[in-house]
């Protein structure tokens, strides 16, 4: 389905006078997916989850995608949250979709979860294998 560059991931936790924080960052050094339908330079996602001394939760999501082209069209490096783009190929039609800067924040069984998926590709065309490609994800969870 494609090639992706080297990947790195980091996670750190912090304890401050105002609360607790966990941060995660994931980066890959470029991707060429679906035979060049999606091409990108460095792709990074960051997530953080905070719990303050009053037990209030907060989280942040960040995505940066350098030199992104979808179907040959340049896309900005900092797409809005949950940006969905149709993968419509001439003479074939829609073969799927890509979601940029996928963001999720939720409280699950007492744990606050923050997730950022920089680039997600879903191939949905009839007759083609169904694939979901999360090119880069970061997750933070604060209890």
């Amino acid at each position: 389905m494609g090639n992706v560059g080297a990947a790195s991931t980091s996670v750190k936790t912090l304890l401050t006078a105002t609360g607790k924080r966990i941060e995660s960052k994931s980066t890959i050094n470029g991707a060429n997916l679906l035979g060049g339908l999606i091409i990108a330079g460095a792709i990074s996602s960051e997530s953080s989850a905070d719990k303050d001394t009053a037990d209030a939760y907060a989280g942040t999501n960040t995505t940066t995608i350098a030199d992104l082209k979808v179907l040959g069209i340049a896309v900005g490096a900092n797409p809005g949250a949950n940006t969905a783009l149709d993968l419509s190929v001439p003479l074939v039609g829609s073969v799927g979709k890509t979601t940029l800067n996928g963001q999720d924040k939720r409280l699950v069984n007492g744990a606050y979860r923050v997730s950022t998926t920089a680039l997600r590709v879903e191939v949905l065309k009839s007759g083609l294998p169904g694939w979901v490609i999360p090119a880069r994800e970061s997750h933070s969870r604060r209890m």
Side-chain angles (χ1 to χ4, degrees):
M1 296 299 296
N3 299 305
V4 295
S8 66
T9 300
S10 65
V11 177
K12 67 179 177 179
T13 58
L14 307 163
L15 180 60
T16 69
T18 59
K20 301 173 184 176
R21 178 181 184 92
I22 185 166
E23 300 173 344
S24 65
K25 180 177 182 177
S26 295
T27 303
I28 62 170
N29 293 326
N32 184 324
L33 304 172
L34 301 175
L37 293 179
I38 300 170
I39 299 172
I43 301 170
S44 102
S45 68
E46 297 181 46
S47 301
S48 68
D50 298 281
K51 182 179 180 184
D52 68 18
T53 54
D55 289 336
Y57 294 100
T60 60
N61 307 80
T62 306
T63 290
T64 304
I65 307 173
D67 306 317
L68 176 62
K69 288 187 179 182
V70 177
L71 302 174
I73 299 168
V75 178
N78 303 101
N82 304 308
T83 299
L85 302 173
D86 183 56
L87 297 175
S88 186
V89 178
L91 304 175
V92 176
S94 180
V95 297
K97 71 175 185 173
T98 184
T99 303
L100 309 174
N101 193 16
Q103 299 186 5
D104 186 44
K105 297 175 192 158
R106 69 175 91 182
L107 191 60
V108 178
N109 297 324
Y112 186 64
R113 297 180 184 204
V114 179
S115 176
T116 310
T117 304
L119 174 67
R120 178 183 174 95
V121 178
E122 296 177 62
V123 179
L124 306 171
K125 183 70 177 172
S126 178
L128 295 175
W131 291 87
V132 175
I133 307 167
R136 195 71 262 163
E137 293 183 298
S138 59
H139 304 276
S140 296
R141 183 173 69 175
R142 179 81 273 155
M143 298 178 84

